């Protein structure tokens, strides 16, 4: 197995929203990602998945815990040049391609922002890099002169991808990169990201709210619920043998083309919204929506366990 490029250890992010209220957006999560892997991270809104992604790229400072990338502890005091190198190597693709592109800048200059900031090229070489990036994401060199509003949502996301690739990253956090796009073009963008992963030797943290979106591109998948990780497994194990009742509920909401799997899958209806991360339930956070909850689920938080080889979950049923 390739070495781990990212290690997240007991990471927490709390937001103080008033004198007596704290949102525990991410509340003690540990996991790692292997070099060259696509790790899908799934959860409903408010699960903390985007907050986790923003801590990894350095947009949020963790409340506690550590993040190690390529041997460096991102959460420690690093010297300026190491911090700069790591900032370049870990890039983010944002959910809303419309909001993340400056409407007053030409596309070529948007893509070259990182090239300029890290002084990777100038003049003719810079221009050639921009043209080649546009072609790499399925656009044309002449698009460099246009403005973001002249493009469709899918094309704008391609521009966002080219901008992230411009600084030659090793690791990309793709934060719901297809959620804002028409269903008809979602698969194209996912396929593009998958192709680029192979061509550019990238590792991805692919964040989505729906398991179906990450199924085909992820090597492993993590399922989050109100700031906690509920389950991590390979994509095939998670879909064939989901252990956690929350994962089972998410999957039972998805139609299954395979009749064998459909028979195996018990239907668990996920009613209502998740509880607020300001006052999450005691014990297991999923207990207020779990059909199997018993007294212990209220009293004790379930331990994070490797129930099968490389298949982890936190549930008192195991
Ligand atoms: Fe359900 Fe209890 Fe397992 Fe939580 S620990 S998922 S409430 S059975």
């Amino acid at each position: 197995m390739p070495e781990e490029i990212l290690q997240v250890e007991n990471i927490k992010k709390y937001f103080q929203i008033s004198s007596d209220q704290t949102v525990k957006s991410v509340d003690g999560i540990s996991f790692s990602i292997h070099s060259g892997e696509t790790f899908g991270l799934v959860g409903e809104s408010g699960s903390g998945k985007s907050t986790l992604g923003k801590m990894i790229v350095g947009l949020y400072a963790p409340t506690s815990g550590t993040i190690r990338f390529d041997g460096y502890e991102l959460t420690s005091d690093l010297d300026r040049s190491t911090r700069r190198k790591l900032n370049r190597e870990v890039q983010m693709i944002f959910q809303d391609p419309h909001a993340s592109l400056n409407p007053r800048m030409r596309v070529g200059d948007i893509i070259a922002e990182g090239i300029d900031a890290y002084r990777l090229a100038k003049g003719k070489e810079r221009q050639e890099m921009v043209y080649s990036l546009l072609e790499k994401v399925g656009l044309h060199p002449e698009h460099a002169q246009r403005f973001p509003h002249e493009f469709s949502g899918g094309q704008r996301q391609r521009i966002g991808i080219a901008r992230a690739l411009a600084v030659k990253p090793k690791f990309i956090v793709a934060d719901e990169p297809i959620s804002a796009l028409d269903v008809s073009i979602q698969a194209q963008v996912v396929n593009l990201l998958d192709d680029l992963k192979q061509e550019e030797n990238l590792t991805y943290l692919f964040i989505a709210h729906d398991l179906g979106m990450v199924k085909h591109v992820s090597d492993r998948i993590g399922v989050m619920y109100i700031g906690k990780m509920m389950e991590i497994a390979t994509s095939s194990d998670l879909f064939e043998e989901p252990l956690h009742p929350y994962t089972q509920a998410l999957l039972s909401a998805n139609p299954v083309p395979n009749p064998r799997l459909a028979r195996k899958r018990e239907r668990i209806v996920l009613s209502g919204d998740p509880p607020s991360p300001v006052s999450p339930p005691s014990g297991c956070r999923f207990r207020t929506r779990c059909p199997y909850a018993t007294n212990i689920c209220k009293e004790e938080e379930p331990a994070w366990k490797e129930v099968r080889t490389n298949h982890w979950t936190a549930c008192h049923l195991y």
Side-chain angles (χ1 to χ4, degrees), residues 21-218:
Q21 285 196 316
T22 303
V23 176
K24 296 179 174 176
S25 184
V26 173
D27 199 13
I29 281 184
S30 303
F31 70 109
S32 53
I33 299 182
H34 298 102
S35 189
E37 183 178 38
T38 295
F39 187 97
L41 185 63
V42 173
E44 291 167 283
S45 79
S47 62
K49 56 193 190 304
S50 283
T51 305
L52 181 57
K54 286 183 177 136
M55 284 193 280
I56 292 169
V57 294
L59 288 176
Y60 288 156
T63 304
S64 64
T66 57
I67 301 173
R68 289 183 73 78
F69 175 77
D70 216 10
Y72 296 97
E73 193 175 321
L74 300 183
T75 32
S76 67
D77 278 338
L78 293 166
D79 63 72
R80 235 174 85 92
S81 72
T82 308
R83 174 74 62 195
R84 210 171 137 76
K85 169 180 126 67
L86 296 173
N87 284 348
R88 183 173 70 72
E89 289 178 350
V90 183
Q91 290 292 310
M92 191 159 195
I93 296 169
F94 294 91
Q95 176 179 6
D96 185 348
H98 187 63
S100 68
L101 304 178
N102 185 337
R104 285 181 292 278
M105 281 174 75
R106 291 187 195 274
V107 163
D109 291 328
I110 291 174
I111 293 173
E113 267 181 312
I115 299 173
D116 297 341
Y118 292 101
R119 298 195 190 98
L120 300 179
K122 52 186 183 183
K124 183 95 180 123
E125 196 191 343
R126 172 188 185 268
Q127 192 181 53
E128 290 301 328
M129 270 179 86
V130 169
Y131 291 167
S132 142
L133 284 158
L134 281 165
E135 284 177 333
K136 204 169 266 187
V137 298
L139 297 171
H140 300 289
E142 56 266 32
H143 287 149
Q145 295 308 316
R146 301 204 194 152
F147 290 92
H149 74 265
E150 297 175 62
F151 294 88
S152 68
Q155 287 174 319
R156 281 198 291 261
Q157 193 53 290
R158 286 171 190 267
I159 296 165
I161 293 168
R163 176 176 59 181
L165 288 182
V167 295
K168 302 186 189 306
K170 288 185 177 173
F171 188 98
I172 288 186
V173 174
D175 186 10
E176 302 217 32
I178 55 170
S179 305
L181 305 179
D182 285 350
V183 175
S184 58
I185 48 168
Q186 287 181 345
Q188 290 171 20
V189 174
V190 169
N191 291 340
L192 171 68
L193 286 168
D194 208 27
D195 292 345
L196 290 169
K197 184 183 112 165
Q198 316 299 334
E199 288 165 24
E200 307 285 317
N201 283 328
L202 295 166
T203 303
Y204 286 144
L205 174 66
F206 196 109
I207 300 173
H209 61 260
D210 183 328
L211 272 166
M213 283 186 189
V214 294
K215 180 180 180 185
H216 299 292
V217 287
S218 302

Side-chain angles (χ1 to χ4, degrees), residues 9 28 35 55 80 84 136 139 187 261 275 278 289 292 296 315:
E9 193 65 44
S35 189
M55 284 193 280
R80 235 174 85 92
R84 210 171 137 76
K136 204 169 266 187
L139 297 171
L261 272 186
V278 176
R289 298 164 94 193
Y292 310 117
I296 191 173
C315 172

